[in-house]
């Protein structure tokens, strides 16, 4: 009889699991739940709680109606009262009552005891439902909460701010006297982005040269060393149309561009501009 009343609770729990699973799928494609979706999940929570209350009430009612006759015996009462604190806490019954707890069916001579679910497990189960309801209202109804998409956006904003502070603090530590070519992927990627945004119009997407000179050959108008290229980008060559980038790019960004330009050497793009300047030989 008890199992019949537990069935609705299990079904409602399955429904809630399905709702949570669908919510996780939904969050993969959208940052917020719609009003009707939140309303549906709320209704499932309420239904789960109602079924839980009804189940507990009916179980207690059935226990009263089907109260075994042995409970009226003084021996049963004495045995129940003689239990220790922990036996009462865990709803354990004395071994002398084991025969009274046998379930009617058996298989190959093996019988099963009708032991109740431990109270600690039920308390944990009830508290998880309460927590789920509070979480739903706190994060999706009353407020937006720290759901994954918002948390990610906030962490990105914090990281960008920290990066900006770092650049302001350490960017000036690089100059044309100590600049070095960087080879790590992150620096080269940053240099490629800066080059694409600012240099492609004059030097071409492959460094082949358009208005400005070819950056892939061995010939340079203003020196081909790392120091020379850094100086040319920073100070510019106004008389030849090369503007100074020191007001637009900090020294670390210029270093990233210089590092990226170094990767263009010897790439031999299609239709390169003719060599200009003097051949640079690394020392």
């Amino acid at each position: 009889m008890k199992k019949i009343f537990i069935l609705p609770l299990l079904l409602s729990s399955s429904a809630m699991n399905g709702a949570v699973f669908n919510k996780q799928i939904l969050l993969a494609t959208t940052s917020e739940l719609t009003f009707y979706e939140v309303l549906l999940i709320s209704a499932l929570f309420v239904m789960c709680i109602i079924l839980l209350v009804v189940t507990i009430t009916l179980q207690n009612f059935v226990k009263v109606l089907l109260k075994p006759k042995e409970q009226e015996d003084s021996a049963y009462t004495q045995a129940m009262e003689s239990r220790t604190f922990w036996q009462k806490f865990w709803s354990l019954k004395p071994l002398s009552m084991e025969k009274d707890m046998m379930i009617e069916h058996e298989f190959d001579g093996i019988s099963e005891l009708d032991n109740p679910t431990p109270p600690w497990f039920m308390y944990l189960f009830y508290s998880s439902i309460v927590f789920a309801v509070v979480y739903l209202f706190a994060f999706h109804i009353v407020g937006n909460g720290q759901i994954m998409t918002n948390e990610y956006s906030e962490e990105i904003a914090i990281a960008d701010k920290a990066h900006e502070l770092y650049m302001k603090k350490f960017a000036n530590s690089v100059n044309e006297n100590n600049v070095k070519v960087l080879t790590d992927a992150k620096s080269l990627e940053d240099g490629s982005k800066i080059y694409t945004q600012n240099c492609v119009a004059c030097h071409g997407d492959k460094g082949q040269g358009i208005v400005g000179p070819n950056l892939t050959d061995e010939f340079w108008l203003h020196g081909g060393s790392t120091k020379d290229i850094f100086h040319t980008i920073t100070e510019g060559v106004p008389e030849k149309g090369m503007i100074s980038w020191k007001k637009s790019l900090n020294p670390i960004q210029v270093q990233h561009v210089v590092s990226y330009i170094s990767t263009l050497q010897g790439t031999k793009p299609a239709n390169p501009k003719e060599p200009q300047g003097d051949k640079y030989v690394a020392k």
Side-chain angles (χ1 to χ4, degrees):
M1 196 68 182
K2 183 188 297 185
K3 295 180 180 179
I4 295 177
F5 295 122
I6 290 293
L7 182 60
L9 185 58
L10 294 177
L11 292 176
S12 62
S13 299
S14 299
M16 286 308 304
N17 290 334
V20 172
F21 177 74
N22 291 333
K23 172 179 172 292
Q24 291 174 345
I25 295 176
L26 182 64
L27 284 176
T29 56
T30 182
S31 60
E32 296 181 3
L33 295 173
T34 65
F35 171 77
Y36 293 105
E37 288 163 343
V38 172
L39 187 63
L40 174 61
I41 296 175
S42 301
L44 289 172
F45 270 120
V46 173
M47 182 182 69
C48 186
I49 294 174
I50 292 175
L51 287 174
L52 179 63
V53 173
V54 171
T55 300
I56 295 174
T57 303
L58 290 176
Q59 284 181 348
N60 294 332
F61 179 72
V62 170
K63 285 181 180 179
V64 174
L65 291 180
L66 303 179
K67 187 175 181 180
K69 294 181 180 180
E70 58 266 23
Q71 291 190 12
E72 299 177 359
D73 299 336
S74 58
Y76 176 87
T77 304
Q78 184 178 2
M80 293 296 289
E81 292 179 352
S82 63
R83 294 181 300 171
T84 64
F85 169 79
W86 290 111
Q87 286 177 328
K88 293 178 180 178
F89 179 80
W90 300 115
S91 297
L92 299 177
K93 295 181 180 180
L95 290 176
S96 60
M97 298 178 56
E98 187 176 88
K99 293 182 179 180
D100 300 325
M101 298 167 57
M102 292 288 184
I103 298 178
E104 295 181 357
H105 71 272
E106 64 177 38
F107 185 77
D108 285 345
I110 301 174
S111 299
E112 183 181 359
L113 297 179
D114 187 12
N115 283 318
T117 304
W120 65 266
F121 182 87
M122 298 307 299
Y123 297 151
L124 182 63
F125 177 66
Y126 300 149
S127 62
S128 66
I129 295 178
V130 174
F131 175 83
V133 174
V134 173
Y135 181 90
L136 174 67
F137 279 89
F139 282 75
H140 297 288
I141 298 180
V142 177
N144 204 14
Q146 293 292 331
I147 57 179
M148 289 184 291
T149 50
N150 292 341
E151 185 176 358
Y152 174 78
S153 299
E154 290 182 6
E155 291 294 334
I156 290 296
I158 293 173
D160 289 341
K161 193 170 184 179
H163 178 72
E164 183 180 352
L165 293 175
Y166 173 83
M167 295 299 290
K168 288 181 179 179
K169 185 176 181 180
F170 296 103
N172 293 327
S173 63
V174 177
N175 56 60
E176 63 181 67
N177 293 319
N178 61 15
V179 62
K180 296 179 180 179
V181 171
L182 303 176
T183 58
D184 61 283
K186 181 65 170 61
S187 298
L188 294 178
E189 182 182 357
D190 290 342
S192 175
K193 291 180 180 178
I194 297 172
Y195 179 90
T196 301
Q197 293 172 356
N198 302 290
C199 310
V200 167
C202 293
H203 295 283
D205 59 339
K206 305 295 183 182
Q208 72 272 20
I210 303 177
V211 177
N214 182 358
L215 301 178
T216 66
D217 58 25
E218 300 174 327
F219 294 85
W220 297 85
L221 291 170
H222 308 287
S225 68
T226 301
K227 176 181 177 180
D228 293 334
I229 300 173
F230 185 93
H231 177 82
T232 302
I233 296 175
T234 303
E235 301 299 332
V237 188
E239 63 273 16
K240 293 188 177 181
M242 174 68 177
I243 66 172
S244 170
W245 290 96
K246 61 184 178 182
K247 293 183 178 180
S248 303
L249 304 175
N250 62 54
I252 289 182
Q253 290 175 312
V254 176
Q255 182 183 32
H256 290 171
V257 176
V258 173
S259 300
Y260 174 71
I261 290 175
S262 69
T263 65
L264 300 178
Q265 285 292 296
T267 54
K268 298 181 180 180
N271 302 317
K273 194 174 182 178
E274 69 279 358
Q276 294 175 280
D278 300 322
K279 184 176 181 179
Y280 171 75
V281 179
K283 297 178 181 180

